[in-house]
Amino acid sequence: NAGVTQTPKFRILKIGQSMTLQCAQDMNHNYMYWYRQDPGMGLKLIYYSVGAGITDKGEVPNGYNVSRSTTEDFPLRLELAAPSQTSVYFCATQSLAAGNTIYFGEGSWLTVV
Amino acid sequence: AQSVTQLDSHVSVSEGTPVLLRCNYSSSYSPSLFWYVQHPNKGLQLLLKYTSAATLVKGINGFEAEFKKSETSFHLTKPSAHMSDAAEYFCVVKGGKLIFGQGTELSVKP
């Protein structure tokens, strides 16, 4: 049981490049979330999904896109990377049946130069 | 709409003294509430959660929190601080979305 797996763990991007952060879970959880955490700050919700085929914007969606074609995967896409997107990204999942426990990935450190 | 406000960005206590980290929330739904801790350069660890059962919730490492609906609060307490408690603490509310507070940095002086 791998839980929540985020890849890559570290990445350096040049301004204007695009990339996808992967998030996969094997717990059959309905809810999945993407957060960013800037140095010394809290977590800001980028996008979330309540199930396959359903996504919605969070607090800071600009510059990002997501898709949820399967229950297991919730990739986060950066189309035109900007220095302001330098951050640590966390994926999280949650199942109502599990007493609302939230499971986090280990984080992806992204630097845009 | 939902929101969560952690009333103190930084709290400093002496080792062995009580800890109080304050959290107020708003939610259109009957919320679930959580406290998470994050040590430097580490991921997030669940301390405790409230999901409409007992209003006084006990968590790991001696922490507890009380859900007070009339005050829309979910403050985190610990009777006696330890040096290893120094970290960033996040209050989290779930109604529809899962929203984090801005965090409270806890410092523990010897």
Side-chain angles (χ1 to χ4, degrees):
Chain A
N1 186 344
V4 182
T5 303
Q6 281 183 240
T7 56
K9 195 169 181 67
F10 300 96
R11 181 74 186 269
I12 298 175
L13 276 182
K14 293 184 178 178
I15 294 171
Q17 285 186 318
S18 62
M19 75 160 295
T20 300
L21 296 175
Q22 301 289 348
C23 178
Q25 54 111 348
D26 60 1
M27 298 174 283
N28 202 34
H29 286 176
N30 296 99
Y31 289 84
M32 295 188 76
Y33 307 88
W34 272 109
Y35 293 90
R36 59 175 288 172
Q37 185 178 29
D38 298 327
M41 306 290 284
L43 278 75
K44 294 292 186 183
L45 181 63
I46 306 171
Y47 271 95
Y48 69 106
S49 169
V50 301
I54 306 170
T55 63
D56 207 347
K57 295 178 181 179
E59 302 165 280
V60 290
N62 292 344
Y64 305 94
N65 277 299
V66 293
S67 59
R68 185 91 183 271
S69 56
T70 66
T71 299
E72 292 78 19
D73 299 298
F74 190 43
L76 178 71
R77 179 90 177 154
L78 285 71
E79 290 294 349
L80 290 170
S84 61
Q85 293 178 305
T86 294
S87 191
V88 182
Y89 292 82
F90 288 97
C91 177
T93 74
Q94 187 177 33
S95 167
L96 295 177
N100 288 354
T101 298
I102 310 162
Y103 296 83
F104 285 91
E106 293 185 341
S108 296
W109 274 252
L110 177 65
T111 301
V112 182
V113 296
Chain B
Q2 24 178 138
S3 66
V4 57
T5 301
Q6 291 182 241
L7 298 169
D8 307 292
S9 59
H10 185 250
V11 170
S12 182
V13 301
S14 296
E15 192 174 21
T17 64
V19 175
L20 170 64
L21 305 183
R22 298 182 295 166
C23 173
N24 284 71
Y25 71 92
S26 68
S27 177
S28 304
Y29 304 85
S30 181
S32 295
L33 293 156
F34 308 80
W35 275 98
Y36 277 82
V37 61
Q38 186 178 34
H39 289 90
N41 299 313
K42 298 287 187 183
L44 292 138
Q45 181 184 18
L46 177 67
L47 282 176
L48 49 81
K49 62 181 179 181
Y50 166 78
T51 55
S52 75
T55 56
L56 182 62
V57 182
K58 293 188 183 299
I60 62 171
N61 300 335
F63 285 94
E64 62 181 39
E66 186 171 8
F67 173 72
K68 292 186 176 180
K69 187 175 181 179
S70 60
E71 299 176 11
T72 60
S73 69
F74 190 56
H75 300 336
L76 181 71
T77 61
K78 182 173 180 176
S80 176
H82 191 273
M83 295 296 290
S84 61
D85 294 328
E88 189 87 15
Y89 291 79
F90 295 99
C91 182
V92 183
V93 61
K94 176 147 190 325
K97 307 175 198 179
L98 193 65
I99 300 295
F100 279 71
Q102 59 270 50
T104 298
E105 182 182 358
L106 176 65
S107 301
V108 182
K109 298 175 289 187

